[in-house]
Amino acid sequence: MFYGLIMLIWLNSPLNENGGNMSALPQIGSSIGSLKKVDKTQNAIIVDYDSGKSMVEIFKTGIVHLTIQRGNSSRKSFAVIEKPEELSRYKVDADKDRISVSLKDGTVSYLPGTMGFSYFPKNGSNSVALTGIRFDDSGLVATFDIHGARNFYGLGEKTLPFNKYGSRATMWNSDFPAYSARLDPLYESIPLLLKADTSGAYGLFFDNTFRSAFDIGASDSDRLVYKAAGGAFELYLITGKNAAEVVQRFSELTGKMPMPPVWAIGYQQSRWSYYPEQKVLDLAHGFRDREIPCDVIYLDINYMDEYKCFTWSPKDFPTPENMLDTLHDLGFKVVTIIDPGIKDEKGYRVYDSGLNENVFVKKTDGNYFIGQVWPGDCVFPDFLNEKTRKWWGEQYRFLLGYGVDGFWNDMNEPSVFNTSNKTFPLDAVHELDSGTAEHSEVHNVYGMEMARATREGLEKLEPNKRPLVLTRASYAGGQRYAAMWTGDNFASFAHLKLALAMFLNIGVCGQPFIGSDVGGFIGNPDAELFSRWLEFGCFSPFFRTHSVINSAQREPWAFCAGGASAFGGDSCSFTKINREIINRRYEMLPEIYTAFRNASQDGLPILRPLYLCFPDNEEAYKISDEFLFGSNLLVAPVLDSGVVSRRVYFPDGTWSSIYDGQRFESGWHEVDAPLGRTPVFVRDGAILFTQSVIQSTSEQADTLILSVFTDTTTKGSTYFDDGESMAYKSGDFLDMRVSYDSGSHGELLRFSSKGEFKPQYKFLAIDMVERTLPRQGVMKTNDGQEMKGKISKVKNGFVRLTFPFSTKVESISVK
Ligand code: MIG
């Protein structure tokens, strides 16, 4: 409806090519008065109006921040961690008529008189201009001319089409079990819109935490309309030479994912709920007995006493220490769920202490807001302030004391059962670190601030351990605190497709650590759907099977004939297929761990849309059913039932199947995809780092395998550290770099490593393209030793040379 209203307000005057002719635009004096003065401080240009102000700042990464607001008070961003630069470092012209900033990739102008704002990229790609803004009692409305741009991505967790052009989207964290395509909004809000096509890219980050809405060419084909229900217009224009650079810069602005513990990237098993204790132990033995690898078991709400946070059910978990000890001995980690609702019950220690410290959210009348969630009537911590976050962080001492390894924050949209809006009253009062805010202003950051409080608490309680926090709700910047999963999906192929579509767009919004409930949360997948989803999960950053209460058993061995009988037989082919898929995750671990390391440093997603890596390829912008995993792998998951092959688009270069070495040139090809073998290809020229199978990351694999996917020359690298402590931050890691060269002298691999960490592999295997002559390999170490390699044949046209593993390896020559 409000879009109709906008049409009345909007004027039709695109900027001319010089970005100068704003005269046809209306004055917005009606909403914040007329221009008074323009001031330049060290870090900002500040423009005063009768009843508002605007401000221009520059961030070093090529980002221009424009604020336009009513009134004078300002709010500190929850998302942005970067500081604005001194203006003197840039070419800035500022006077009353025009402020312009020249950046490497283009020019940004702001006209104080009309509030026109525009970006002209240097490479001649589409410009973008704010052509009107208006504030009134229902918030703000801003309209942009998008000048012919038709590819927009990002906006976080949305089941809208891959390309957001032509869509409307809302930002309001919402709990919608069994959501469907185009149902919006969902659990998370990341208001970053990424324009990207072969001509260039830019990002528009709207850092306003009120309910907001986007209309991306849906009502008017060349306009983007943005509306927020309150607050200031806070736009970060992110420049860059292509989408990857824009995404990297956004991650500089909002922060990077910290390195997770390695067990958090293994396979994880969950359901609502595994209980009592004995069932949990049986589950653990179920994996080990069948030799199906698994790292983590999740305990959903039934481990608690009457769903009360930071308690154990005395009936179902009478000896949690013993259970945790046994699970740890079996090589499992344990993650427990923690919701925000604290049972309103005198005598319950968490409630009493929270009351004492005054940490719960209040209504306007000063009484606590009480809402129903799992424990019944609950109060809710006000994670928006430091005192509450500290208090909350401290609560985890209880579960850590029993040996719990990681934490899963659910229901933090926040979701409430018995209020009409399914959340807190919009005028509930939050105490911020400075000042107070109504719930309507901070609703979208409540979940992220809960995850933050959890992480900060864990870091304080166990400073040398990397925490795993998993969250359902989040906001821009949430990657700093927690991994996230896409909530209560459904067991269908349609939902499997939605998961990928969401991942591709969440990834470019700065959050690399994402996953979906494998198999679909609600409903029961048949064996085929489960295996297909497991195949996709194997190449999802976060890899966890989870299902709703009363669902059929969902262990990898539960899909044999006779249905999903609990902990059923083992000889069936589905179990074999599922074991092979999970084995692959563990074989790929060096490659996956390296992808995490890279993401934690460069901010690029782990699961990447094709256009991010092939910005000049027109087709790459349309492909929403394939992705790149890290920098070497192309994955084309099977997303339809009843098929054993699919069409795959291969971007520039040559690609080899990881299963049979079959090579594909760029373009479209029909590719075999029998159940269990999601099509995965290695980029020509890559050196792939894999390892022999282990049952969990608590085991050391025997063999590190380097596969050289070329017969000319190339380079590759992989990353190792202890996988759990913070020691890597002070240099205890190993960055293993390898170059490969082949010529008349034979073949030569040279190793040059950075860092002191010593992986404990026993063997180093080198897989190389097979040639007619049998070859001999000699390894030299930097302490003068020489060792001969053992030759064996591996499949797919590869020959393998095996050596004892040594971090002292300098070179391997093959003749
Ligand atoms: O109201 O804890 O998305 O993963 O199993 C449902 C029970 C609450 C929602 C989560 C889901 C979890 C479930 N929770």
Side-chain angles (χ1 to χ4, degrees), residues 343-651:
K343 192 175 174 78
D344 178 17
E345 183 184 86
K346 285 229 160 54
Y348 160 41
R349 66 172 205 292
V350 181
Y351 175 82
D352 289 347
S353 112
L355 215 59
N356 215 10
E357 305 240 358
N358 191 20
V359 298
F360 300 124
V361 174
K362 295 192 182 103
K363 296 185 293 184
T364 43
D365 64 9
N367 292 317
Y368 291 117
F369 162 64
I370 293 173
Q372 274 178 11
V373 272
W374 289 105
D377 280 350
C378 283
V379 288
F380 296 85
D382 189 4
F383 301 111
L384 279 300
N385 64 69
E386 178 83 27
K387 184 178 81 175
T388 306
R389 287 193 297 270
K390 278 200 170 137
W391 170 83
W392 179 254
E394 178 60 30
Q395 300 309 311
Y396 287 89
R397 189 187 290 276
F398 174 81
L399 290 168
L400 288 178
Y402 288 88
V404 175
D405 302 279
F407 300 93
W408 166 23
N409 287 166
D410 187 20
M411 302 290 282
N412 51 355
E413 292 70 30
S415 177
V416 177
F417 295 157
N418 66 334
T419 49
S420 56
N421 66 354
K422 296 286 164 206
T423 190
F424 298 175
L426 294 184
D427 60 357
V429 185
H430 292 269
E431 302 283 341
L432 272 48
D433 288 328
S434 58
T436 63
E438 293 192 350
H439 186 68
S440 60
E441 180 176 352
V442 294
H443 174 84
N444 285 339
V445 287
Y446 185 85
M448 176 169 87
E449 294 299 290
M450 177 188 188
R452 170 186 178 183
T454 303
R455 169 172 287 269
E456 288 173 353
L458 296 172
E459 283 176 345
K460 209 164 149 205
L461 291 166
E462 294 188 328
N464 196 30
K465 264 199 193 165
R466 299 178 215 169
L468 171 70
V469 182
L470 175 66
T471 186
R472 194 170 70 176
S474 198
Y475 180 71
Q479 68 274 2
R480 301 195 296 265
Y481 310 122
M484 57 139 303
W485 93 105
T486 53
D488 295 349
N489 55 359
F490 193 83
S492 70
F493 275 92
H495 265 265
L496 177 54
K497 289 194 185 88
L498 288 181
L500 175 52
M502 285 191 276
F503 290 1
L504 290 169
N505 280 307
I506 298 168
V508 296
C509 290
Q511 169 58 289
F513 203 2
I514 45 183
S516 60
D517 287 353
V518 170
F521 179 66
I522 295 164
N524 295 311
D526 63 10
E528 182 198 12
L529 175 58
F530 180 71
S531 293
R532 289 304 191 192
W533 209 314
L534 205 61
E535 290 171 19
F536 174 59
C538 178
F539 291 97
S540 300
F542 180 73
F543 183 20
R544 182 187 73 154
T545 295
H546 181 53
S547 61
V548 71
I549 192 168
N550 295 330
S551 55
Q553 293 303 130
R554 186 90 61 91
E555 297 73 34
W557 58 85
F559 291 88
C560 294
S565 67
F567 310 109
D570 187 22
S571 57
C572 120
S573 61
F574 290 122
T575 305
K576 280 205 196 99
I577 285 171
N578 295 341
R579 176 191 296 113
E580 260 172 41
I581 297 168
I582 298 173
N583 280 350
R584 194 165 303 129
R585 175 78 173 197
Y586 285 84
E587 286 165 357
M588 289 280 175
L589 213 61
E591 198 69 26
I592 298 175
Y593 196 61
T594 303
F596 270 83
R597 165 69 169 184
N598 292 340
S600 75
Q601 292 192 317
D602 65 22
L604 287 174
I606 293 168
L607 189 156
R608 304 173 179 174
L610 267 50
Y611 67 80
L612 213 60
C613 307
F614 300 95
D616 299 326
N617 181 329
E618 197 80 50
E619 199 72 21
Y621 292 88
K622 299 176 200 150
I623 308 275
S624 61
D625 61 353
E626 298 175 25
F627 57 91
L628 292 140
F629 190 98
S631 36
N632 293 327
L633 299 170
L634 174 72
V635 184
V638 173
L639 306 170
D640 294 293
S641 70
V643 305
V644 289
S645 72
R646 62 159 281 180
R647 263 163 66 78
V648 177
Y649 178 73
F650 292 88

Side-chain angles (χ1 to χ4, degrees), residues 15-141:
L15 295 177
N16 70 18
E17 280 306 300
N18 304 318
N21 180 15
M22 304 285 291
S23 55
L25 290 176
Q27 300 287 318
I28 20 55
S30 58
S31 57
I32 63 175
S34 48
L35 174 63
K36 279 168 43 190
K37 64 177 179 10
V38 178
D39 279 330
K40 207 167 156 180
T41 68
Q42 207 175 27
N43 300 81
I45 298 162
I46 296 167
V47 183
D48 283 325
Y49 299 92
D50 291 333
S51 55
K53 68 171 186 181
S54 62
M55 187 174 75
V56 176
E57 291 174 330
I58 307 172
F59 289 78
K60 72 168 174 298
T61 47
I63 297 176
V64 175
H65 175 207
L66 171 69
T67 303
I68 304 177
Q69 64 175 74
R70 279 207 288 196
N72 239 320
S73 66
S74 57
R75 204 58 107 188
K76 190 172 173 295
S77 171
F78 291 94
V80 173
I81 56 165
E82 213 185 356
K83 295 266 173 312
E85 291 281 283
E86 282 184 25
L87 294 176
S88 59
R89 304 164 131 250
Y90 294 84
K91 208 181 152 290
V92 181
D93 295 321
D95 59 39
K96 243 179 149 203
D97 300 323
R98 180 188 192 86
I99 297 162
S100 73
V101 182
S102 293
L103 296 168
K104 199 171 104 251
D105 296 299
T107 310
V108 179
S109 321
Y110 179 62
L111 307 183
T114 58
M115 299 187 177
F117 180 77
S118 61
Y119 172 51
F120 283 88
K122 273 194 186 137
N123 60 11
S125 84
N126 319 73
S127 57
V128 60
L130 172 70
T131 53
I133 180 161
R134 185 188 163 89
F135 294 83
D136 63 25
D137 290 343
S138 59
L140 71 92
V141 187

